[in-house]
């Protein structure tokens, strides 16, 4: 498994995740509710995970709403339920300033750039893609469970060994929190999200000749069907470029002699 890492800064950057990432790297139409776009794309809703959820009154597996990333990542680290907290404080007779402060997380630290989170993209190795494409339903469930477990292990290691919180003036002191809240989005669960599983396969044999390797005709037909579903087949001819190059190099000494 490989991991791509990006820093999430305060401002409008979080909109990228709501427009593309959480809908399977597609394009979310304007003014379309998030849950409708995810359903149309075959992408499951995002879920909260991590050992720091209890501090934010969140529960593991709870659905990530559209407002929560905006509060947590887009507005300088506000509580995911900042809207509700502010409304309750105003209803109790608090001032707008008190209500806004109640929805804030931590204390403001003067820095050049405000980092509100880190984006981790966990990508399974190509062999996992093949297992998903060629295996049955049980194989898909097992491979997905293994991938999800690997993600949990990595996040736990980050919480224990990597994550730090800065505090005091200019953030000169650091402490390891040991826990963090995470928004987990998965774009691989359903067949409608197939586009998240790109794999390229090259063969010098036409599909009709695959029975030489997969001798069971029904098995061969099932493999071809799964590989070509929602795919693009490019035929470049039957001559092997590598074989032609080897033969050409073998003929060069003879010509020189």
């Amino acid at each position: 498994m490989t991991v791509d890492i990006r820093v999430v800064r305060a401002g409008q950057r979080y909109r990228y995740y709501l427009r593309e990432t959480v809908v399977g790297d597609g394009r979310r139409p304007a003014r379309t509710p998030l849950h409708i776009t995810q359903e149309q794309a075959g992408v499951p809703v995002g879920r909260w995970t991590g050992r720091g959820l209890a501090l934010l009154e969140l529960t593991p597996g709870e659905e990530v709403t559209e407002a929560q990333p905006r509060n947590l990542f887009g507005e300088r680290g506000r509580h995911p339920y900042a809207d509700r907290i502010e409304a309750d404080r105003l209803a109790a007779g608090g001032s707008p300033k008190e209500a806004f402060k109640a929805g804030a997380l931590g204390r403001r630290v003067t820095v050049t750039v405000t980092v509100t989170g880190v984006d981790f993209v966990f990508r399974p190795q190509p062999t996992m893609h093949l297992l998903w494409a060629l295996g049955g339903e049980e194989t898909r469930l097992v491979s997905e469970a293994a991938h999800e477990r690997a993600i949990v292990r990595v996040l736990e290691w980050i919480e224990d060994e990597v994550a730090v919180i800065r505090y005091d003036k200019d953030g000169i002191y650091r402490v390891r929190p040991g826990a963090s809240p995470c928004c987990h989005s998965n774009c691989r669960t359903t067949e409608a999200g197939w586009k998240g599983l790109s794999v390229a396969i090259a063969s010098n044999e036409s599909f009709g000749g695959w029975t030489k390797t997969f001798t069971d005709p029904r098995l061969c037909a099932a493999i071809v069907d799964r590989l070509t579903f929602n795919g693009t087949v490019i035929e470049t001819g039957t001559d092997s470029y590598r074989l032609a190059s080897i033969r050409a190099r073998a003929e060069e000494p003879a010509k020189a002699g």
Side-chain angles (χ1 to χ4, degrees):
M1 182 177 70
T2 62
V3 185
D4 296 337
I5 303 175
R6 295 181 180 178
V7 171
V8 181
R9 296 180 174 84
Q12 302 299 314
R13 178 62 184 272
Y14 78 97
R15 293 181 180 273
Y16 163 77
Y17 301 101
L18 292 178
R19 289 174 178 171
E20 299 185 20
T21 302
V22 298
V23 293
D25 285 336
R27 289 293 299 177
R28 178 184 172 190
R31 295 183 295 278
T32 303
L34 178 60
H35 70 279
I36 292 180
T37 307
Q38 290 176 321
E39 182 177 348
Q40 292 174 344
V43 177
V45 298
R47 300 291 179 182
W48 285 101
T49 185
R51 294 184 294 200
L53 298 182
L55 300 175
L56 299 177
E57 302 177 5
L58 296 168
T59 57
E62 182 178 340
E63 180 178 340
V64 178
T65 67
E66 187 165 356
Q68 289 172 339
R70 180 200 67 203
N71 292 333
L72 188 59
F73 304 126
E75 298 188 10
R76 297 183 180 274
R78 297 184 60 72
H79 194 287
Y81 285 121
D83 299 338
R84 185 189 68 187
I85 294 173
E86 292 178 21
D88 291 344
R89 183 60 62 92
L90 291 173
S95 67
K97 183 177 181 180
E98 292 173 337
F100 184 82
K101 186 176 181 180
L105 292 176
R107 293 177 293 177
R108 182 181 295 272
V109 176
T110 303
V111 293
T112 304
V113 178
T114 300
V115 176
T116 56
V118 180
D119 173 36
F120 297 94
V121 180
F122 298 91
R123 304 182 187 278
Q125 57 268 41
T127 51
M128 293 289 286
H129 289 189
L130 290 175
L131 280 175
W132 182 279
L134 302 179
E137 185 63 23
E138 183 178 357
T139 301
R140 292 187 181 190
L141 292 175
V142 171
S143 60
E144 181 178 352
H147 182 65
E148 295 294 328
R149 178 54 183 164
I151 292 176
V152 171
R153 293 285 299 275
V154 172
L155 292 177
E156 290 176 347
W157 175 77
I158 291 173
E159 289 176 326
D160 291 335
E161 305 294 339
V162 180
V164 296
I165 292 178
R166 293 180 177 272
Y167 66 98
D168 207 70
K169 184 179 180 181
D170 298 327
I172 59 176
Y173 298 110
R174 300 186 300 175
V175 62
R176 295 197 182 280
S180 62
C182 304
C183 297
H184 183 191
S185 297
N186 188 331
C187 64
R188 307 179 301 113
T189 300
T190 64
E191 193 165 292
W194 185 271
K195 61 185 177 181
L197 293 170
S198 300
V199 60
I201 297 178
S203 173
N204 292 329
E205 187 72 68
S206 65
F207 289 132
W210 279 30
T211 51
K212 298 175 183 177
T213 302
F214 305 104
T215 55
D216 186 330
R218 294 183 61 185
L219 173 62
C220 184
I223 292 174
V224 172
D225 179 69
R226 289 180 180 274
L227 287 177
T228 56
F229 177 73
N230 277 350
T232 301
V233 179
I234 302 175
E235 295 184 3
T236 60
T238 57
D239 294 333
S240 170
Y241 173 79
R242 290 186 292 272
L243 181 59
S245 299
I246 293 174
R247 288 175 175 172
R249 287 197 299 269
E251 294 174 357
E252 287 178 359
K255 293 180 180 180

